[in-house]
Coordinates of all heavy atoms in Angstrom, one line a residue:
M1 N 18.1 5.2 -7.6 CA 17.5 5.4 -6.3 C 18.3 4.5 -5.3 O 18.6 3.3 -5.5 CB 16.1 4.9 -6.3 CG 15.3 5.4 -5.0 SD 13.6 5.4 -5.1 CE 13.3 3.7 -4.8
N2 N 18.9 5.2 -4.2 CA 19.8 4.5 -3.2 C 19.2 3.9 -2.0 O 19.8 3.4 -1.2 CB 20.9 5.5 -2.7 CG 21.8 5.9 -4.0 OD1 22.3 5.1 -4.8 ND2 22.1 7.2 -4.1
I3 N 17.8 4.1 -1.9 CA 17.2 3.6 -0.7 C 16.4 2.4 -1.2 O 15.8 2.3 -2.2 CB 16.1 4.7 -0.2 CG1 16.9 6.0 0.0 CG2 15.4 4.2 0.9 CD1 16.1 7.2 0.3
K4 N 16.5 1.4 -0.2 CA 15.9 0.1 -0.5 C 15.1 -0.3 0.7 O 14.8 0.3 1.7 CB 17.0 -1.0 -0.5 CG 18.0 -0.7 -1.7 CD 19.0 -1.8 -1.8 CE 20.0 -1.8 -3.0 NZ 19.9 -0.6 -3.9
K5 N 14.2 -1.4 0.4 CA 13.3 -2.0 1.5 C 14.0 -2.3 2.9 O 15.2 -2.6 2.9 CB 12.6 -3.2 1.0 CG 11.6 -3.7 1.9 CD 10.9 -5.0 1.3 CE 9.8 -5.4 2.2 NZ 9.2 -6.6 1.6
N6 N 13.4 -1.9 3.9 CA 13.9 -2.1 5.2 C 15.0 -1.1 5.8 O 15.5 -1.2 6.8 CB 14.4 -3.6 5.6 CG 13.3 -4.5 5.6 OD1 12.2 -4.2 5.9 ND2 13.6 -5.7 5.0
D7 N 15.4 -0.1 4.8 CA 16.2 1.0 5.3 C 15.4 2.0 6.3 O 14.2 2.0 6.2 CB 16.7 1.8 4.1 CG 17.7 1.1 3.4 OD1 18.4 0.2 3.9 OD2 18.1 1.4 2.2
T8 N 16.1 2.6 7.2 CA 15.5 3.6 8.0 C 15.8 5.1 7.4 O 17.0 5.3 6.9 CB 16.1 3.7 9.4 OG1 16.0 2.4 9.9 CG2 15.4 4.5 10.3
V9 N 14.7 5.8 7.1 CA 14.8 7.1 6.6 C 14.3 8.1 7.6 O 13.5 7.9 8.4 CB 14.2 7.2 5.2 CG1 15.0 6.2 4.2 CG2 12.7 6.8 5.3
V10 N 14.7 9.4 7.2 CA 14.0 10.6 7.8 C 13.5 11.5 6.8 O 14.1 11.7 5.7 CB 15.0 11.3 8.8 CG1 16.2 11.9 8.0 CG2 14.4 12.3 9.7
V11 N 12.3 12.1 7.1 CA 11.6 13.0 6.1 C 12.2 14.3 6.2 O 12.4 14.9 7.2 CB 10.1 13.0 6.4 CG1 9.4 13.8 5.3 CG2 9.5 11.5 6.4
L12 N 12.6 14.9 4.9 CA 13.1 16.2 5.0 C 12.2 17.5 4.9 O 12.4 18.5 5.2 CB 14.1 16.2 3.9 CG 15.3 15.2 3.8 CD1 16.1 15.4 2.6 CD2 16.2 15.5 5.0
S13 N 11.1 17.2 4.2 CA 10.2 18.2 4.0 C 8.6 17.7 4.0 O 8.5 16.6 3.8 CB 10.5 19.0 2.7 OG 10.3 18.1 1.6
G14 N 7.9 18.7 4.1 CA 6.4 18.4 4.0 C 5.8 18.3 5.6 O 6.4 18.7 6.5
K15 N 4.5 17.8 5.5 CA 3.8 17.8 6.8 C 4.4 16.9 7.8 O 4.2 17.0 9.0 CB 2.3 17.5 6.5 CG 2.1 16.0 6.0 CD 0.6 15.7 5.7 CE 0.5 14.3 5.2 NZ -0.8 14.0 5.0
D16 N 5.3 15.9 7.5 CA 5.8 14.9 8.3 C 7.3 15.2 8.4 O 8.0 14.3 8.8 CB 5.6 13.4 7.8 CG 4.1 13.1 7.7 OD1 3.4 13.3 8.7 OD2 3.7 12.5 6.7
K17 N 7.8 16.4 8.2 CA 9.1 16.7 8.5 C 9.7 16.3 9.7 O 9.2 16.5 10.8 CB 9.4 18.2 8.2 CG 10.7 18.7 8.3 CD 10.9 20.1 8.0 CE 12.3 20.6 8.0 NZ 12.4 22.1 7.8
G18 N 10.9 15.7 9.7 CA 11.6 15.2 10.9 C 11.2 13.8 11.4 O 11.9 13.3 12.2
K19 N 10.2 13.1 10.9 CA 9.9 11.9 11.3 C 10.6 10.8 10.7 O 11.1 10.9 9.6 CB 8.4 11.5 10.8 CG 7.3 12.2 11.6 CD 5.9 11.7 11.2 CE 4.8 12.4 11.9 NZ 3.4 11.8 11.6
K20 N 11.0 9.7 11.5 CA 11.7 8.6 11.1 C 10.8 7.6 10.9 O 9.7 7.4 11.6 CB 12.9 8.2 12.2 CG 14.0 9.0 12.1 CD 15.0 8.5 13.1 CE 16.3 9.4 13.1 NZ 17.4 8.8 14.1
G21 N 11.2 6.5 10.0 CA 10.4 5.3 9.7 C 11.1 4.4 8.8 O 12.2 4.8 8.2
K22 N 10.6 3.2 8.8 CA 11.1 2.1 8.0 C 10.5 2.0 6.6 O 9.3 2.2 6.7 CB 10.9 0.7 8.8 CG 12.0 -0.3 8.4 CD 11.7 -1.5 9.2 CE 12.9 -2.4 9.2 NZ 12.8 -3.5 10.2
V23 N 11.3 1.8 5.6 CA 10.7 1.7 4.3 C 10.1 0.3 4.1 O 10.8 -0.8 4.3 CB 11.8 1.9 3.2 CG1 11.3 1.8 1.8 CG2 12.6 3.2 3.3
K24 N 8.7 0.3 3.8 CA 8.0 -0.8 3.7 C 8.2 -1.4 2.2 O 8.3 -2.6 1.9 CB 6.5 -0.7 4.0 CG 6.2 -0.5 5.4 CD 4.8 0.0 5.5 CE 4.0 -1.1 6.1 NZ 2.7 -0.6 6.4
T25 N 8.0 -0.4 1.2 CA 8.0 -0.6 -0.2 C 8.7 0.4 -0.9 O 8.7 1.6 -0.6 CB 6.7 -0.7 -0.7 OG1 5.9 -1.5 0.0 CG2 6.7 -1.3 -2.2
A26 N 9.7 -0.1 -1.9 CA 10.4 0.9 -2.7 C 10.0 0.7 -4.1 O 9.9 -0.5 -4.6 CB 11.9 0.7 -2.6
M27 N 9.6 1.8 -4.8 CA 9.2 1.7 -6.3 C 10.2 2.5 -7.2 O 9.9 3.7 -7.2 CB 7.8 2.3 -6.3 CG 6.7 1.5 -5.6 SD 5.0 2.3 -5.5 CE 5.3 3.2 -3.8
P28 N 11.3 1.9 -7.4 CA 12.2 2.7 -8.3 C 11.8 3.4 -9.6 O 12.3 4.5 -10.0 CB 13.4 1.7 -8.4 CG 12.9 0.4 -8.0 CD 11.7 0.6 -7.3
K29 N 11.0 2.7 -10.3 CA 10.5 3.3 -11.5 C 9.8 4.6 -11.3 O 9.8 5.5 -12.2 CB 9.6 2.2 -12.2 CG 10.3 1.2 -12.9 CD 9.5 0.1 -13.6 CE 10.5 -1.1 -14.1 NZ 9.5 -2.0 -14.9
E30 N 9.0 4.5 -10.3 CA 8.2 5.9 -10.0 C 9.0 6.8 -9.1 O 8.6 7.8 -8.8 CB 6.9 5.5 -9.4 CG 5.9 4.8 -10.2 CD 5.8 3.4 -9.9 OE1 5.7 3.0 -8.7 OE2 6.0 2.6 -10.9
N31 N 10.1 6.4 -8.6 CA 11.0 7.1 -7.6 C 10.2 7.4 -6.5 O 10.2 8.5 -5.8 CB 11.5 8.3 -8.3 CG 12.6 8.9 -7.6 OD1 13.6 8.2 -7.0 ND2 12.9 10.2 -7.6
K32 N 9.5 6.5 -5.9 CA 8.7 6.7 -4.7 C 8.9 5.6 -3.6 O 9.4 4.5 -3.9 CB 7.2 6.7 -5.0 CG 6.9 7.9 -5.8 CD 5.3 8.1 -6.0 CE 5.0 9.4 -6.7 NZ 3.6 9.6 -6.7
L33 N 8.5 5.9 -2.4 CA 8.7 4.9 -1.3 C 7.4 4.8 -0.5 O 6.7 5.9 -0.3 CB 9.8 5.3 -0.4 CG 11.2 5.7 -0.9 CD1 12.1 6.3 0.0 CD2 11.9 4.3 -1.3
I34 N 7.1 3.8 0.3 CA 6.2 3.8 1.3 C 6.8 3.6 2.5 O 7.5 2.6 2.8 CB 5.0 2.7 1.0 CG1 4.3 2.9 -0.3 CG2 4.1 2.5 2.2 CD1 3.3 1.9 -0.5
V35 N 6.7 4.5 3.4 CA 7.5 4.5 4.8 C 6.4 4.3 5.9 O 5.3 5.0 5.9 CB 8.2 6.0 4.9 CG1 9.0 6.0 6.2 CG2 9.1 6.3 3.8
E36 N 6.7 3.6 6.8 CA 6.0 3.2 8.0 C 5.6 4.4 8.8 O 6.5 5.1 9.3 CB 6.7 2.2 8.8 CG 5.8 1.3 9.6 CD 6.6 0.2 10.1 OE1 7.4 0.4 11.2 OE2 6.8 -1.0 9.5
G37 N 4.4 4.7 9.0 CA 3.9 5.8 9.7 C 4.1 7.2 9.2 O 3.8 8.3 9.9
V38 N 4.5 7.3 7.9 CA 4.7 8.7 7.3 C 3.7 8.9 6.0 O 3.4 7.8 5.5 CB 6.1 8.8 6.9 CG1 6.4 10.0 6.1 CG2 7.0 8.7 8.1
N39 N 3.3 10.0 5.9 CA 2.3 10.5 4.8 C 1.0 9.6 4.9 O 0.6 8.9 3.8 CB 3.0 10.2 3.4 CG 2.6 11.0 2.5 OD1 1.8 12.0 2.6 ND2 2.7 10.7 1.1
M40 N 0.3 9.6 6.0 CA -1.0 8.9 6.2 C -2.0 9.6 5.5 O -2.2 10.8 5.5 CB -1.2 8.8 7.7 CG -0.1 8.1 8.4 SD 0.1 6.4 8.0 CE -1.3 5.7 8.9
A41 N -3.0 8.8 4.8 CA -4.1 9.3 4.2 C -5.3 8.5 4.7 O -5.3 7.5 5.4 CB -4.2 9.0 2.8
T42 N -6.5 9.1 4.8 CA -7.7 8.6 5.2 C -8.5 8.1 4.1 O -8.8 8.8 3.1 CB -8.6 9.6 6.0 OG1 -7.9 10.2 7.0 CG2 -9.8 9.1 6.7
C43 N -8.8 6.7 4.1 CA -9.5 6.1 3.0 C -10.9 5.4 3.6 O -11.0 4.9 4.7 CB -8.8 4.9 2.5 SG -7.2 5.4 1.8
H44 N -11.9 5.8 2.8 CA -13.3 5.4 3.0 C -13.4 3.9 2.4 O -13.4 3.9 1.1 CB -14.3 6.2 2.6 CG -14.2 7.6 3.5 ND1 -15.0 7.9 4.4 CD2 -13.4 8.7 3.0 CE1 -14.7 9.1 4.8 NE2 -13.8 9.6 4.1
V45 N -13.5 2.8 3.2 CA -13.7 1.6 2.6 C -15.1 1.0 2.7 O -15.8 1.0 3.7 CB -12.7 0.7 3.3 CG1 -12.7 -0.8 2.9 CG2 -11.3 1.1 3.2
K46 N -15.4 0.5 1.6 CA -16.8 -0.2 1.4 C -16.7 -1.6 1.7 O -15.7 -2.2 1.2 CB -17.3 0.2 0.1 CG -18.8 0.0 -0.3 CD -19.1 0.4 -1.6 CE -20.7 0.3 -1.8 NZ -21.1 0.8 -3.1
P47 N -17.7 -2.2 2.4 CA -17.6 -3.6 2.6 C -17.9 -4.4 1.3 O -18.8 -4.1 0.6 CB -18.8 -3.9 3.7 CG -19.6 -2.7 3.6 CD -18.8 -1.5 3.2
R48 N -17.0 -5.2 1.0 CA -17.1 -6.0 -0.3 C -17.7 -7.5 -0.3 O -18.3 -7.9 -1.1 CB -15.7 -6.1 -0.9 CG -15.1 -4.9 -1.3 CD -15.6 -4.2 -2.4 NE -15.2 -2.8 -2.7 CZ -15.7 -2.1 -3.5 NH1 -16.8 -2.3 -4.1 NH2 -15.1 -0.8 -3.7
K49 N -17.7 -8.0 1.0 CA -18.1 -9.4 1.2 C -19.3 -9.2 2.2 O -19.2 -8.4 3.1 CB -17.1 -10.4 1.5 CG -15.9 -10.5 0.4 CD -15.0 -11.5 1.0 CE -13.8 -11.5 -0.1 NZ -12.6 -12.2 0.5
Q50 N -20.1 -10.2 2.3 CA -21.0 -10.2 3.3 C -20.5 -10.5 4.7 O -19.5 -11.5 4.8 CB -22.1 -11.4 3.1 CG -23.4 -11.3 4.0 CD -24.4 -12.3 3.5 OE1 -24.1 -13.2 2.7 NE2 -25.6 -12.1 4.1
G51 N -20.7 -9.7 5.8 CA -20.0 -9.9 7.1 C -18.8 -9.2 7.1 O -18.3 -8.9 8.3
E52 N -18.3 -8.5 6.1 CA -17.0 -7.6 6.2 C -17.6 -6.3 6.5 O -18.5 -5.8 6.1 CB -16.4 -7.7 4.8 CG -15.0 -7.0 4.8 CD -14.4 -7.0 3.5 OE1 -13.9 -8.0 3.1 OE2 -14.3 -5.9 2.8
E53 N -16.7 -5.6 7.4 CA -17.0 -4.3 7.8 C -16.3 -3.2 7.0 O -15.2 -3.4 6.6 CB -16.6 -3.9 9.3 CG -17.5 -4.7 10.2 CD -17.0 -4.2 11.7 OE1 -16.5 -3.2 11.8 OE2 -17.3 -5.1 12.7
G54 N -17.0 -2.1 6.7 CA -16.6 -1.0 6.0 C -16.2 0.1 7.1 O -16.3 -0.2 8.2
G55 N -15.8 1.3 6.6 CA -15.3 2.3 7.5 C -14.3 3.2 7.0 O -13.9 3.1 5.8
I56 N -13.7 4.0 7.9 CA -12.6 4.8 7.5 C -11.5 4.3 8.1 O -11.2 4.1 9.2 CB -12.9 6.3 8.2 CG1 -14.2 6.8 7.6 CG2 -11.8 7.3 7.8 CD1 -14.8 8.0 8.3
I57 N -10.4 4.1 7.3 CA -9.2 3.6 7.7 C -8.0 4.6 7.3 O -8.2 5.4 6.5 CB -8.8 2.1 7.1 CG1 -8.7 2.3 5.5 CG2 -9.8 1.2 7.6 CD1 -8.1 1.0 5.0
R58 N -7.0 4.5 8.0 CA -5.7 5.3 7.8 C -4.6 4.5 7.3 O -4.4 3.4 7.7 CB -5.2 6.1 9.0 CG -6.2 7.2 9.4 CD -5.8 8.1 10.6 NE -4.5 8.5 10.6 CZ -4.1 9.7 9.9 NH1 -5.1 10.3 9.2 NH2 -3.0 10.0 10.2
K59 N -4.0 4.9 6.1 CA -2.9 4.1 5.5 C -1.9 5.0 4.9 O -2.2 6.1 4.6 CB -3.5 3.0 4.5 CG -4.0 3.6 3.3 CD -4.4 2.5 2.3 CE -4.7 3.0 0.9 NZ -4.8 2.0 0.0
E60 N -0.7 4.4 4.9 CA 0.4 5.1 4.2 C 0.4 5.1 2.7 O -0.1 4.1 2.1 CB 1.8 4.4 4.6 CG 2.1 4.4 6.0 CD 1.9 3.0 6.5 OE1 1.3 2.2 5.9 OE2 2.3 2.8 7.8
I61 N 0.5 6.3 2.1 CA 0.7 6.4 0.6 C 2.1 6.8 0.3 O 2.8 7.2 1.2 CB -0.5 7.5 0.2 CG1 -0.3 8.8 0.8 CG2 -1.8 7.0 0.4 CD1 -1.0 9.9 0.2
P62 N 2.4 6.5 -0.9 CA 3.8 6.7 -1.4 C 4.3 8.2 -1.3 O 3.6 9.3 -1.3 CB 3.8 6.4 -2.9 CG 2.7 5.5 -3.0 CD 1.6 5.9 -2.0
I63 N 5.6 8.4 -1.0 CA 6.2 9.7 -0.7 C 7.5 9.5 -1.7 O 7.9 8.5 -1.9 CB 6.6 9.9 0.6 CG1 7.2 11.3 0.8 CG2 7.7 8.9 1.1 CD1 7.5 11.7 2.3
R64 N 7.8 10.8 -2.4 CA 8.9 10.7 -3.3 C 10.2 10.5 -2.6 O 10.4 11.0 -1.4 CB 8.9 12.2 -4.0 CG 7.7 12.3 -4.9 CD 7.8 13.5 -5.8 NE 9.1 14.0 -6.2 CZ 9.2 15.3 -6.6 NH1 8.3 16.0 -6.8 NH2 10.3 15.6 -6.9
A65 N 11.0 9.9 -3.2 CA 12.3 9.4 -2.7 C 13.3 10.6 -2.3 O 14.1 10.6 -1.4 CB 12.9 8.5 -3.6
D66 N 13.1 11.7 -3.2 CA 14.0 12.8 -2.9 C 13.6 13.7 -1.7 O 14.3 14.7 -1.2 CB 14.1 13.7 -4.1 CG 12.8 14.2 -4.8 OD1 11.8 14.0 -3.9 OD2 12.6 14.9 -5.7
K67 N 12.4 13.3 -1.0 CA 12.0 14.0 0.2 C 12.5 13.4 1.5 O 12.1 13.6 2.6 CB 10.5 14.2 0.3 CG 9.9 15.2 -0.8 CD 8.6 15.4 -0.6 CE 8.1 16.4 -1.6 NZ 7.3 17.4 -0.8
V68 N 13.3 12.2 1.3 CA 13.7 11.5 2.5 C 15.2 11.3 2.4 O 15.8 11.5 1.3 CB 13.0 10.1 2.5 CG1 11.6 10.2 2.8 CG2 13.4 9.2 1.5
M69 N 15.9 11.2 3.6 CA 17.3 10.9 3.6 C 17.6 9.6 4.4 O 16.9 9.4 5.4 CB 17.9 12.1 4.1 CG 19.4 12.0 4.2 SD 20.2 13.5 4.7 CE 20.6 14.3 3.2
L70 N 18.5 8.8 3.9 CA 18.8 7.5 4.5 C 19.5 7.9 5.9 O 20.4 8.8 6.0 CB 19.8 6.8 3.7 CG 20.1 5.4 4.1 CD1 18.8 4.5 4.1 CD2 21.0 4.8 3.1
V71 N 19.2 7.1 7.0 CA 19.9 7.2 8.3 C 20.9 6.1 8.4 O 20.5 5.0 8.2 CB 18.9 7.1 9.4 CG1 19.5 7.1 10.7 CG2 17.8 8.3 9.3
C72 N 22.1 6.5 8.7 CA 23.3 5.4 8.8 C 22.9 4.5 10.1 O 22.7 5.0 11.2 CB 24.5 6.1 9.0 SG 25.9 5.1 9.2
P73 N 23.1 3.3 9.9 CA 22.8 2.3 11.1 C 23.8 2.5 12.2 O 23.7 2.2 13.2 CB 22.8 0.9 10.4 CG 23.4 1.1 9.0 CD 23.3 2.6 8.8
K74 N 25.1 2.9 11.7 CA 26.2 2.9 12.7 C 26.2 4.4 13.5 O 26.2 4.3 14.7 CB 27.6 2.8 12.0 CG 28.7 2.6 12.9 CD 30.1 2.5 12.4 CE 31.2 2.5 13.5 NZ 32.4 3.0 13.0
C75 N 26.3 5.4 12.7 CA 26.4 6.6 13.5 C 25.0 7.3 13.8 O 24.9 8.2 14.5 CB 27.3 7.7 12.6 SG 26.7 8.1 10.9
G76 N 23.9 6.8 13.2 CA 22.5 7.3 13.7 C 22.2 8.4 13.0 O 21.2 9.1 13.4
K77 N 23.0 9.1 12.1 CA 22.7 10.4 11.5 C 22.1 10.2 10.1 O 22.5 9.4 9.4 CB 23.9 11.3 11.5 CG 24.5 11.5 12.9 CD 25.7 12.3 12.9 CE 26.5 12.5 14.3 NZ 27.8 13.1 14.1
P78 N 21.3 11.3 9.7 CA 20.9 11.3 8.3 C 22.1 11.6 7.4 O 23.0 12.4 7.8 CB 19.9 12.4 8.1 CG 19.4 12.7 9.6 CD 20.6 12.2 10.4
T79 N 22.3 10.8 6.3 CA 23.5 10.9 5.5 C 23.2 10.9 4.0 O 22.3 10.1 3.6 CB 24.7 9.9 6.1 OG1 25.7 10.2 5.3 CG2 24.1 8.5 5.9
R80 N 24.1 11.2 3.2 CA 24.0 11.0 1.8 C 24.7 9.6 1.5 O 25.4 9.1 2.5 CB 24.8 12.0 0.9 CG 24.2 13.4 1.1 CD 24.7 14.4 0.2 NE 26.0 14.2 -0.4 CZ 27.1 14.9 0.1 NH1 27.0 15.7 1.1 NH2 28.2 14.5 -0.4
V81 N 24.4 9.1 0.5 CA 24.9 7.7 0.2 C 26.1 7.7 -0.8 O 26.0 8.3 -1.9 CB 23.7 6.8 -0.4 CG1 24.3 5.4 -0.7 CG2 22.6 6.7 0.5
G82 N 27.1 7.2 -0.5 CA 28.2 6.9 -1.3 C 28.4 5.6 -1.7 O 27.6 4.7 -1.3
H83 N 29.3 5.2 -2.7 CA 29.5 3.9 -3.0 C 31.0 3.6 -2.9 O 31.9 4.5 -3.1 CB 29.2 3.6 -4.5 CG 27.7 3.8 -4.7 ND1 27.0 5.1 -4.9 CD2 26.6 2.9 -4.6 CE1 25.7 4.9 -5.0 NE2 25.5 3.5 -4.9
K84 N 31.4 2.3 -2.6 CA 32.6 1.9 -2.4 C 32.9 0.5 -3.3 O 31.8 -0.2 -3.4 CB 33.0 1.5 -0.9 CG 33.3 2.7 -0.2 CD 33.7 2.2 1.2 CE 34.0 3.4 2.1 NZ 34.5 3.0 3.4
L85 N 34.1 0.2 -3.8 CA 34.3 -1.0 -4.4 C 35.1 -1.8 -3.5 O 36.1 -1.3 -2.9 CB 35.1 -0.7 -5.7 CG 34.4 -0.1 -7.0 CD1 35.3 0.2 -8.0 CD2 33.3 -1.1 -7.4
L86 N 34.6 -3.1 -3.3 CA 35.3 -4.0 -2.5 C 36.4 -4.8 -3.2 O 36.4 -4.6 -4.4 CB 34.3 -5.0 -1.9 CG 33.2 -4.4 -0.9 CD1 32.3 -5.6 -0.5 CD2 33.8 -3.7 0.2
E87 N 37.3 -5.5 -2.6 CA 38.4 -6.3 -3.2 C 37.8 -7.3 -4.1 O 38.4 -7.4 -5.2 CB 39.2 -6.9 -2.2 CG 39.9 -6.0 -1.2 CD 39.2 -5.5 0.0 OE1 38.2 -6.2 0.3 OE2 39.4 -4.4 0.4
N88 N 36.7 -7.8 -3.9 CA 36.1 -8.8 -4.8 C 35.4 -8.2 -6.1 O 34.8 -9.0 -6.9 CB 35.3 -9.9 -4.1 CG 34.1 -9.1 -3.5 OD1 33.9 -8.0 -3.6 ND2 33.4 -10.0 -2.8
G89 N 35.4 -6.8 -6.2 CA 34.8 -6.2 -7.3 C 33.3 -5.8 -7.0 O 32.6 -5.2 -7.9
D90 N 32.7 -6.1 -5.8 CA 31.4 -5.7 -5.6 C 31.2 -4.3 -5.3 O 32.2 -3.7 -4.5 CB 30.8 -6.4 -4.3 CG 30.5 -7.9 -4.6 OD1 30.5 -8.4 -5.8 OD2 30.4 -8.7 -3.7
K91 N 30.2 -3.6 -5.7 CA 29.9 -2.1 -5.4 C 28.9 -2.1 -4.5 O 27.8 -2.6 -4.5 CB 29.4 -1.5 -6.7 CG 29.2 -0.1 -6.6 CD 28.7 0.6 -7.9 CE 28.6 2.0 -7.8 NZ 28.0 2.6 -9.1
V92 N 29.2 -1.4 -3.2 CA 28.4 -1.4 -2.0 C 28.0 0.0 -1.6 O 28.7 1.0 -2.0 CB 28.9 -2.1 -0.8 CG1 29.0 -3.7 -1.2 CG2 30.3 -1.6 -0.4
R93 N 26.9 0.2 -0.9 CA 26.5 1.6 -0.4 C 27.3 1.8 0.9 O 27.5 1.0 1.7 CB 24.9 1.6 0.0 CG 24.1 1.3 -1.2 CD 22.7 1.6 -0.8 NE 22.4 0.6 0.1 CZ 21.3 0.7 0.9 NH1 20.5 1.6 0.8 NH2 21.0 -0.1 1.9
A94 N 27.8 3.2 1.0 CA 28.4 3.6 2.1 C 28.0 4.9 2.7 O 27.6 5.7 1.8 CB 29.9 3.6 1.9
C95 N 28.1 5.1 3.9 CA 27.7 6.3 4.7 C 28.9 7.4 4.3 O 30.0 7.2 4.4 CB 27.7 6.1 6.2 SG 27.5 7.7 7.0
K96 N 28.4 8.6 3.9 CA 29.3 9.7 3.6 C 30.0 10.1 4.9 O 31.1 10.9 4.8 CB 28.6 10.7 2.8 CG 28.4 10.5 1.5 CD 29.6 10.8 0.5 CE 29.3 10.8 -0.9 NZ 30.5 11.2 -1.7
K97 N 29.5 10.2 6.0 CA 29.8 10.8 7.2 C 30.9 9.9 7.9 O 32.0 10.4 8.3 CB 28.8 11.2 8.1 CG 27.9 12.3 7.7 CD 26.8 12.8 8.6 CE 26.0 13.8 8.1 NZ 25.1 14.3 9.0
C98 N 30.5 8.6 8.0 CA 31.5 7.8 8.9 C 32.2 6.8 7.9 O 33.1 6.1 8.5 CB 30.7 7.1 10.0 SG 29.5 5.8 9.5
G99 N 31.8 6.5 6.8 CA 32.4 5.6 5.8 C 31.9 4.2 6.0 O 32.4 3.2 5.4
E100 N 31.0 3.8 6.9 CA 30.5 2.6 7.2 C 29.7 1.9 6.0 O 28.9 2.7 5.3 CB 29.7 2.6 8.4 CG 29.2 1.1 8.9 CD 30.4 0.2 9.5 OE1 31.3 0.7 9.8 OE2 30.1 -1.0 9.3
I101 N 29.9 0.7 5.8 CA 29.2 0.0 4.7 C 27.8 -0.2 5.4 O 27.5 -0.8 6.3 CB 29.8 -1.2 4.3 CG1 31.2 -1.0 3.5 CG2 28.9 -2.1 3.4 CD1 31.9 -2.3 3.3
M102 N 26.7 0.2 4.3 CA 25.2 -0.1 4.8 C 24.8 -1.3 4.2 O 25.1 -1.8 3.2 CB 24.6 1.1 4.3 CG 24.7 2.5 4.9 SD 23.6 3.6 4.4 CE 24.6 5.2 4.7

């Protein structure tokens, strides 16, 4: 999975198609992400402690990583992720459109 926490992504399909958001959590084992403001679900919360309020809240639920595309910070366009080797031997992510290191 080429997407990490704090990356900006755009949703490619589903009810939130076209929305941009920041990745809050990446779960590479399940190949899922939690993206800010995307894939919202309504949860009914019961009060657990005395004085605590229950009610209906909206929260983000995981979305599959293959339904989003990374947005390049330099060119600002959704792009595929390539890899480059630096002189010191490090492997880094790079934008396929402009070649900028992410």
Side-chain angles (χ1 to χ4, degrees):
M1 193 165 78
N2 294 316
I3 301 170
K4 299 182 180 356
K5 186 177 176 180
N6 294 326
D7 284 341
T8 303
V9 294
V10 64
V11 180
L12 300 176
S13 65
K15 64 180 181 182
D16 294 319
K17 182 178 180 177
K19 284 188 181 178
K20 280 186 181 180
K22 199 173 198 178
V23 177
K24 289 171 109 177
T25 309
M27 298 173 264
K29 286 185 180 177
E30 294 100 48
N31 199 31
K32 292 188 177 189
L33 307 164
I34 295 179
V35 183
E36 210 169 80
V38 173
N39 205 22
M40 300 294 282
T42 304
C43 297
H44 296 263
V45 178
K46 195 173 181 180
R48 296 289 174 197
K49 298 176 187 166
Q50 192 171 9
E52 188 177 285
E53 284 190 27
I56 301 169
I57 61 164
R58 292 180 49 78
K59 68 176 189 176
E60 296 102 353
I61 57 173
I63 187 170
R64 290 191 27 202
D66 56 4
K67 290 188 172 230
V68 299
M69 188 175 259
L70 191 64
V71 175
C72 177
K74 185 182 179 203
C75 61
K77 298 177 185 172
T79 182
R80 297 194 332 261
V81 179
H83 292 90
K84 284 186 178 181
L85 284 173
L86 299 177
E87 293 82 28
N88 61 2
D90 288 343
K91 187 177 176 183
V92 293
R93 298 182 302 160
C95 175
K96 282 277 194 175
K97 290 186 178 177
C98 66
E100 184 68 24
I101 295 173
M102 292 187 201

